[in-house]
Amino acid sequence: MRDPTAPTAPTAPPRGADPTPIVASARAAAASLADCAPGGGTLAAAAPLSGRAVFVLVFLPFALGHFLSSLMRTVNATLAPQLVAALALTPGQLGLLTSAFFLAFALAQLPVGIALDRWGPAKVQLPMLMLAGVGALAFAGGQTFAQLLMARALVGLGLGGCFMSAVKAISTWIAPARLPSVQGYLIAVGGLGAASATLPVRLALHYMDWRGLFLWLALAAALTGILIRALSPPQPASGRKTALLEAMRAVYRHPAFRETAALVLIPHTVFFGIQGLWISRWLTDVARYTEEAVGYLLYLGMAAVIFGAIAVGMLTEWAGRRGVAPIRVAAIGVALFICVQLGFVFDWRPSYQLLAVLFTLVGTVTGIEYTIVAQSLPGALTGRAATCLNLLIFLGAFAVQAGFGLVVGCWRPDLFGHYPAIAYQTAFAALVLLQLPGLAWFVRRRARNPLEWVSHPTRP
């Protein structure tokens, strides 16, 4: 790690970087799925599939959709300098433009969740990804801030079912005891998608502009939807019409859902909102790194998401075998995540690089709430539970991403357009204050009942 007082670009990784970690992750996921008992999922009516069939027909297609969703969610962090230059955006406008994805994504959650439980993930994903493709086309052709804002929202709306469709699909075929590691692999694929939005996108911009990039993303969205529909095995669907408010009440009233959301929800929104845009701006404005250096550090951070997600899944399974509840793992992870954010608040100068990577590495622990809810709620509610979580997470991420920009915009930039460190310190301090009450409430509650720290039985 170089001297932070000399903010020159770090050495770029060599061409043809070793893909072994990614290949190893894919092989580990395949092995984990192969170990699962056929038909061990939550829906007994599902026809048995071998572990390899689950990996090829279920995990890979839906993981590809999640990969694309993560890429398009975070790509603005890399494109921010080009977008600011093209449209003369203020921090508030940049935050609003990028966070429009989160707002539209959130609005899609409940309707899509009910559709997942009624018709199954494959039938839902095809039209949704086609809609995302239309949004990407509109973004590529947008000429004004308002046009790009609407197009970005349309992309978020179309990608609103990618992660929860994957959760629903693998929850159908994977035994509950194996969900932490398999969902960890799924989140790792999302990390790979976010990593692809950094250095690979910067390399692509050598051959095309950001408009051409979105044309290719539109094509990728359409092809992914077709692939999911063609490969996914038929999954049982309830066919039961469920009122929207009834679906919300059934999930929100469940004690495990409320406890998990109280502890992990706000940290998760902070992770999504900051990682998708403001880490790159902080590296530019405060650390004063070049665009090339920022792209490299974003790539390292997104690579850390891959390993962090796999590690969290494996650690949760290991702890569960020793009687430690996943909620306890989540509490420890949230405490560490808040400590990392305090480094931003106090402007920890020994290594800005390490701080930026630690934010994404430790922040992956927030994804554990999907596993906790999937293990704790009845199988018939898994689709709606994932969508209710996403509704809250992405509404919160919208508020965090847009609000962070408004706070930073309260200060004036210097002649080079850089905002002062105090602007970012204030914004990060506000986020820490929002997260502390949930952790303090959890620790206080569990201190009164130590037996709740042990693992609870998973749902039937």
Side-chain angles (χ1 to χ4, degrees):
M1 209 61 74
R2 66 180 180 82
D3 181 0
T5 62
T8 57
T11 304
R15 291 186 178 180
D18 182 14
T20 302
I22 297 172
V23 175
S25 298
R27 289 174 177 170
S32 178
L33 288 166
D35 290 339
C36 297
T42 62
L43 299 177
L49 291 177
S50 69
R52 293 186 184 277
V54 172
F55 178 68
V56 174
L57 301 179
V58 179
F59 182 84
L60 281 182
F62 285 100
L64 181 60
H66 182 46
F67 171 95
L68 185 64
S69 176
S70 298
L71 190 161
M72 297 179 76
R73 187 186 76 230
T74 56
V75 71
N76 276 18
T78 301
L79 299 179
Q82 288 80 11
L83 295 174
V84 170
L87 300 171
L89 301 178
T90 66
Q93 288 177 318
L94 179 61
L96 181 61
L97 174 62
T98 305
S99 64
F101 179 100
F102 291 123
L103 180 60
F105 199 105
L107 294 177
Q109 298 310 297
L110 290 176
V112 171
I114 293 174
L116 288 176
D117 284 335
R118 186 176 181 189
W119 292 297
K123 292 182 179 179
V124 172
Q125 273 296 81
L126 178 58
M128 294 292 288
L129 285 169
M130 291 295 180
L131 181 62
V134 172
L137 285 175
F139 198 92
Q143 300 296 327
T144 66
F145 172 73
Q147 290 173 349
L148 293 182
L149 184 69
M150 295 300 296
R152 175 76 173 169
L154 194 61
V155 171
L157 189 67
L159 296 175
C162 286
F163 182 75
M164 55 192 176
S165 292
V167 170
K168 179 68 175 178
I170 67 177
S171 296
T172 301
W173 303 102
I174 303 301
R178 302 306 304 271
L179 283 178
S181 61
V182 176
Q183 290 188 1
Y185 295 128
L186 177 64
I187 295 174
V189 172
L192 182 59
S196 299
T198 57
L199 277 185
V201 165
R202 285 194 59 81
L203 292 175
L205 292 177
H206 292 162
Y207 305 97
M208 66 186 79
D209 62 5
W210 59 271
R211 297 184 186 276
L213 175 67
F214 271 89
L215 291 177
W216 282 103
L217 291 176
L219 178 62
L223 292 178
T224 301
I226 294 172
L227 183 67
I228 289 174
R229 188 69 179 93
L231 293 184
S232 182
Q235 300 190 32
S238 67
R240 181 174 61 91
K241 294 183 179 180
T242 306
L244 191 62
L245 292 180
E246 177 188 345
M248 293 175 64
R249 284 195 297 266
V251 173
Y252 289 139
R253 287 178 177 176
H254 199 284
F257 184 90
R258 293 201 305 268
E259 181 180 48
T260 304
L263 174 66
V264 191
L265 177 63
I266 295 181
H268 205 157
T269 65
V270 169
F271 175 62
F272 273 5
I274 301 304
Q275 167 252 335
L277 176 63
W278 292 113
I279 283 292
S280 68
R281 304 311 299 162
W282 177 83
L283 287 168
T284 300
D285 291 346
V286 178
R288 299 298 178 94
Y289 293 142
T290 64
E291 287 188 27
E292 291 77 12
V294 171
Y296 183 31
L297 288 171
L298 289 178
Y299 179 80
L300 291 179
M302 295 306 101
V305 170
I306 301 172
F307 296 103
I310 294 174
V312 169
M314 296 176 65
L315 179 61
T316 304
E317 279 194 9
W318 176 86
R321 290 194 295 268
R322 286 154 180 80
V324 179
I327 194 73
R328 183 179 183 182
V329 177
I332 296 171
V334 166
L336 291 174
F337 187 49
I338 292 175
C339 289
V340 171
Q341 293 170 65
L342 289 174
F344 292 91
V345 174
F346 294 108
D347 197 23
W348 189 53
R349 290 181 177 273
S351 181
Y352 284 144
Q353 295 171 319
L354 179 61
L355 198 58
V357 174
L358 281 178
F359 182 89
T360 53
L361 176 65
V362 180
T364 56
V365 75
T366 57
I368 198 175
E369 62 183 331
Y370 291 105
T371 296
I372 298 172
V373 169
Q375 287 182 330
S376 304
L377 269 65
L381 293 178
T382 54
R384 275 166 279 178
T387 56
C388 286
L389 268 181
N390 276 344
L391 172 65
L392 296 174
I393 290 168
F394 285 95
L395 281 177
F398 165 76
V400 167
Q401 200 165 77
F404 197 96
L406 292 176
V407 172
V408 171
C410 291
W411 279 262
R412 299 182 66 177
D414 61 18
L415 295 177
F416 300 99
H418 297 302
Y419 285 81
I422 187 62
Y424 289 89
Q425 289 175 277
T426 303
F428 273 109
L431 295 180
V432 169
L433 291 177
L434 288 175
Q435 296 167 80
L436 284 176
L439 180 63
W441 174 85
F442 178 83
V443 172
R444 181 181 178 185
R445 181 173 177 272
R446 290 308 175 97
R448 293 178 177 178
N449 189 358
L451 292 180
E452 292 187 9
W453 286 91
V454 300
S455 183
H456 298 296
T458 58
R459 59 172 168 76

